[in-house]
Amino acid sequence: MTTQESHDQTGSYVHAGKPFTRDMNYIDDRITADGSSGWQVEAGRYRLAVSRACPWANRTIIVRRLLGLEDALSMAVAGPTHDKRSWTFDLDPGGRDPVLGIERLQEAFFARFPDYPRGITVPAFVDVPSGGVVTNDFSQITLDLETEWTEHHREGAPDLYPVPLRAQIDELNHWVLHHVNNGVYKTGFAGSQEDYEAAYTDLWESLDVLEDRLSRSRYLMGSSITEADVRLFPTLVRFDLVYFSHFKANRQPLRTMPNLWNYTKDLFQTPGFGDTVDVEHIKQHYYVVQTDLNPTQIVPVGPDASILLEDHDRDRFETDTWGPGGTAPQPPKAEEVVDPAHTPLRVSGR
């Protein structure tokens, strides 16, 4: 997710008379097991920069947890809001990331590209020795964590990108990206009534397709969690919190769609998913930063996120959640636990 979705350094996202267009040009370097990319997988060498507010970063936090990469890959967590320059590490003592020693993620981008012209985005890999960014290609980062970092996967790590299903997962992920993950942004940041209505219609037609798909299996690809579920969940868990009202995606709340809502609750209650979600960071980011849509910066009190803990009906389906030989991840490290005041999971003690 960019700090400036369309490179407007003032924090302006809406361009009058124009549809929303996400800049998809990222630093496409990769970190690979054999180092042929120029960057070799190495425990402790890289730091994953994220914000819990951002859906694109949320998926990398989930994958890192599910695969047990915490010891091999440290994580820098930026605060939920930012100014026109970049994400800041204001959650850390002194306002500096304790490993990279920087106040802003922008510093890591400029350390490698002094004249970097594009948006400063999370998630991003930073090379700790040099302090420079390696890549911010969010679509590739999770795939590489799953396929290139296998030496450092925990025992019992699930295969989130199984070879026999990769073509199907890739096809579904591409569709979900453009119609749902980005569909909410096209709706929220449309610059004209015509563009808004077109994006709104496409988004809801796409959610209806997913509602039907999830009437036949517990997860998107069948009985086990895959990369496809990781990519859809961050959008769904933010839907009633933000997108329904803030982005005017208001045909109906997600909680009125039985399959999508029970699926969202199911994943939220699954280790590695809900325990990565910071409800307050999510609301702070959208309502404070996106002043085009919310010039008063007033953050709504509701909705009550505790409904994500209500019973779901997804165990009616054939289930092998973690796949052959897979097991649930361990609880998050103490220093990575979401503030108990910001998530119903921690308050409930689950």
Side-chain angles (χ1 to χ4, degrees):
M1 184 178 188
T2 63
T3 57
Q4 306 85 24
E5 296 287 348
S6 51
H7 297 283
D8 188 326
Q9 297 297 309
T10 67
S12 176
Y13 297 77
V14 178
H15 296 270
K18 297 181 181 179
F20 171 78
T21 302
R22 182 180 299 281
D23 183 351
M24 296 293 288
N25 293 299
Y26 297 97
I27 303 166
D28 60 1
D29 286 17
R30 295 176 58 195
I31 301 171
T32 56
D34 63 4
S36 60
S37 62
W39 303 95
Q40 187 162 17
V41 170
E42 181 181 336
R45 177 177 175 181
Y46 304 99
R47 191 153 171 84
L48 177 63
V50 300
S51 168
R52 293 189 186 277
C54 171
W56 318 100
N58 194 175
R59 60 176 64 167
T60 64
I61 301 171
I62 293 169
V63 169
R64 176 177 173 270
R65 280 266 289 117
L66 296 183
L67 300 179
L69 289 169
E70 292 94 333
D71 290 337
L73 177 63
S74 66
M75 188 166 70
V77 182
T81 61
H82 54 71
D83 58 20
K84 63 183 180 181
R85 291 171 59 193
S86 88
W87 298 92
T88 58
F89 296 106
D90 51 295
L91 302 177
D92 293 308
R96 288 184 179 273
D97 178 78
V99 173
L100 300 173
I102 58 178
E103 295 180 340
R104 299 172 177 275
L105 183 57
Q106 183 187 59
E107 295 173 57
F109 279 70
F110 287 174
R112 185 175 175 202
F113 304 106
D115 299 317
Y116 188 74
R118 317 195 77 85
I120 307 300
T121 68
V122 290
F125 269 120
V126 179
D127 177 48
V128 174
S130 68
V133 66
V134 177
T135 179
N136 61 341
D137 187 351
F138 70 86
S139 286
Q140 190 62 45
I141 284 175
T142 52
L143 298 181
D144 284 343
L145 290 177
E146 292 155 3
T147 60
E148 300 292 334
W149 288 72
T150 54
E151 178 185 354
H152 302 289
H153 287 184
R154 66 178 175 86
E155 184 178 356
D159 185 357
L160 299 174
Y161 196 46
V163 173
L165 296 177
R166 285 185 185 178
Q168 296 176 57
I169 291 173
D170 289 345
E171 180 180 10
L172 180 59
N173 284 349
H174 180 82
W175 181 85
V176 166
L177 169 62
H178 291 286
H179 296 282
V180 180
N181 300 146
N182 205 34
V184 292
Y185 286 85
K186 292 176 184 177
T187 302
F189 294 127
S192 70
Q193 186 70 32
E194 180 182 9
D195 290 329
Y196 163 72
E197 292 185 12
Y200 176 100
T201 299
D202 180 71
L203 171 64
W204 280 106
E205 287 178 349
S206 302
L207 288 172
D208 286 338
V209 169
L210 291 170
E211 173 72 8
D212 177 68
R213 183 182 183 118
L214 288 166
S215 71
R216 296 187 293 275
S217 62
R218 184 158 188 172
Y219 305 110
L220 286 172
M221 301 306 299
S223 62
S224 303
I225 287 170
T226 67
E227 168 78 8
D229 301 294
V230 172
R231 295 199 182 203
L232 179 59
F233 171 76
T235 298
L236 298 185
V237 80
R238 286 162 174 76
F239 200 91
D240 286 4
L241 287 173
V242 174
Y243 303 145
F244 174 81
S245 56
H246 185 58
F247 281 180
K248 305 182 186 71
N250 57 1
R251 188 188 78 177
Q252 63 193 99
L254 197 70
R255 63 182 179 273
T256 65
M257 303 182 75
N259 293 309
L260 276 168
W261 181 241
N262 279 288
Y263 167 82
T264 302
K265 289 190 293 182
D266 183 12
L267 286 178
F268 187 85
Q269 296 169 33
T270 299
F273 284 83
D275 54 25
T276 70
V277 174
D278 191 313
V279 171
E280 290 307 311
H281 279 202
I282 290 168
K283 293 197 294 184
Q284 285 284 330
H285 174 71
Y286 286 94
Y287 287 103
V288 172
V289 173
Q290 295 168 359
T291 53
D292 276 352
L293 304 185
N294 188 40
T296 65
Q297 298 181 302
I298 294 172
V299 179
V301 175
D304 181 3
S306 68
I307 59 175
L308 287 161
L309 300 178
E310 293 176 353
D311 291 341
H312 60 77
D313 63 357
R314 304 300 290 172
D315 51 7
R316 73 184 192 268
F317 296 110
E318 176 187 354
T319 301
D320 182 16
T321 297
W322 305 111
T327 60
Q330 294 297 310
K333 291 186 171 186
E335 63 271 22
E336 295 183 3
V337 170
V338 175
D339 186 331
H342 295 182
T343 172
L345 269 178
R346 301 305 304 178
V347 172
S348 73
R350 293 197 183 192

